[in-house]
Amino acid sequence: MDTSKRLEPALSMADRVYAVLHESIMSGEFPVGYRLRIRDLAALVGTSEMPVREAIRRLEEAGFAERVPHRGSVVKGLDLAELVHAYDVRLLLEVEATRLGAERIDSAAITRMRDGLVRMRQAIAEGEVMDYLDRDEAVLGVLYEASGNPVLVNTVRSLWGQCRAYKTVGARSALDKPGDDALWRHQERLVEAVEAGDADAAAAVTRESLASATDRIKAQLREQKK
């Protein structure tokens, strides 16, 4: 793992290590269940063990890692039941973030959404799953930031991180289906509603998208319980 481009000199060492580990988890480089061995990570990022220990503690507090008996800290993934709860909360928050953002967004931000949608479609065409997810979240981030509520935006971003592993699997599955528009259909409709100044329509698109994802998770959960 190349860490040289990730370490920001203005941050504390613990902040820098946290940023590296968090990015590795989000990108899938450290998959669910990956053991966060303090000594190995310290050697990897070139620090002492103390900032690594602090970074792992923060990852546990943020829900990205958990302590497992006889294994230490490992990368955490949500089970299906937890995912249902996470998506229920996402629906509540993101519908409101969409409505507020659509009511307050300016033309420059709408242009950024449209440009981001183009880059997202390019990532789909190239089969770049992680880039697609980043672009997708960037498009939504522009809209949600227009709400003017940074606490709302940060909470949503935290939920995105917790759902990332599931989103990655879903995106890869969709990419394997030629002609499937599931990866961009809702985003296109969302941008169109925002461009039209229709906050209610935009909120409805977000509600439909997240409700559909929740239904898929619930179906998987029912199959798992059989």
Side-chain angles (χ1 to χ4, degrees):
M1 176 175 61
D2 180 9
T3 64
S4 61
K5 297 181 180 179
R6 304 180 185 178
L7 301 182
E8 296 292 338
L11 301 177
S12 71
M13 185 58 70
D15 288 335
R16 291 188 243 173
V17 174
Y18 177 86
V20 170
L21 300 185
H22 180 263
E23 181 178 335
S24 296
I25 291 171
M26 295 290 283
S27 68
E29 186 174 353
F30 291 174
V32 173
Y34 182 89
R35 292 182 66 182
L36 300 171
R37 297 181 177 90
I38 294 174
R39 182 176 300 176
D40 292 347
L41 293 175
L44 186 64
V45 299
T47 70
S48 66
E49 294 184 5
M50 186 175 296
V52 174
R53 196 183 307 274
E54 170 63 16
I56 291 174
R57 182 190 65 78
R58 289 171 55 188
L59 287 170
E60 291 172 350
E61 290 180 348
F64 296 109
E66 61 182 339
R67 194 160 295 277
V68 175
H70 311 301
R71 296 193 69 204
S73 188
V74 302
V75 175
K76 181 182 179 182
L78 295 180
D79 62 29
L80 291 177
E82 290 175 316
L83 271 171
V84 170
H85 294 313
Y87 270 81
D88 282 343
V89 175
R90 284 188 60 192
L91 190 149
L92 291 172
L93 296 181
E94 293 188 49
V95 167
E96 184 63 13
T98 297
R99 188 185 308 281
L100 290 174
E103 289 173 348
R104 303 175 183 180
I105 197 167
D106 59 26
S107 59
I110 293 174
T111 298
R112 292 202 304 275
M113 288 186 71
R114 178 58 69 180
D115 290 344
L117 187 60
V118 171
R119 289 191 289 271
M120 188 189 76
R121 293 287 296 270
Q122 181 178 354
I124 294 171
E126 295 172 353
E128 295 291 340
V129 172
M130 301 312 296
D131 190 36
Y132 158 75
L133 292 173
D134 289 341
R135 299 300 185 184
D136 176 37
E137 291 175 0
V139 170
L140 296 177
V142 172
L143 177 60
Y144 296 171
E145 286 167 8
S147 72
N149 188 329
V151 174
L152 174 60
V153 176
N154 289 336
T155 303
V156 169
R157 290 188 184 281
S158 177
L159 286 166
W160 286 347
Q162 294 178 49
C163 298
R164 186 75 172 216
Y166 175 79
K167 291 168 66 178
T168 300
V169 172
R172 284 180 175 147
S173 176
L175 282 174
D176 290 336
K177 301 173 183 176
D180 189 342
D181 64 357
L183 291 178
W184 57 266
R185 180 178 65 250
H186 285 99
Q187 295 90 328
E188 180 73 43
R189 289 172 54 207
L190 177 63
V191 173
E192 289 175 353
V194 172
E195 287 177 326
D198 193 337
D200 288 339
V205 172
T206 295
R207 182 181 294 105
E208 178 185 327
S209 175
L210 290 170
S212 177
T214 305
D215 287 343
R216 289 194 299 272
I217 298 168
K218 288 179 178 178
Q220 292 177 45
L221 185 58
R222 287 192 295 271
E223 287 295 318
Q224 190 180 77
K225 290 180 177 180
K226 287 182 178 179

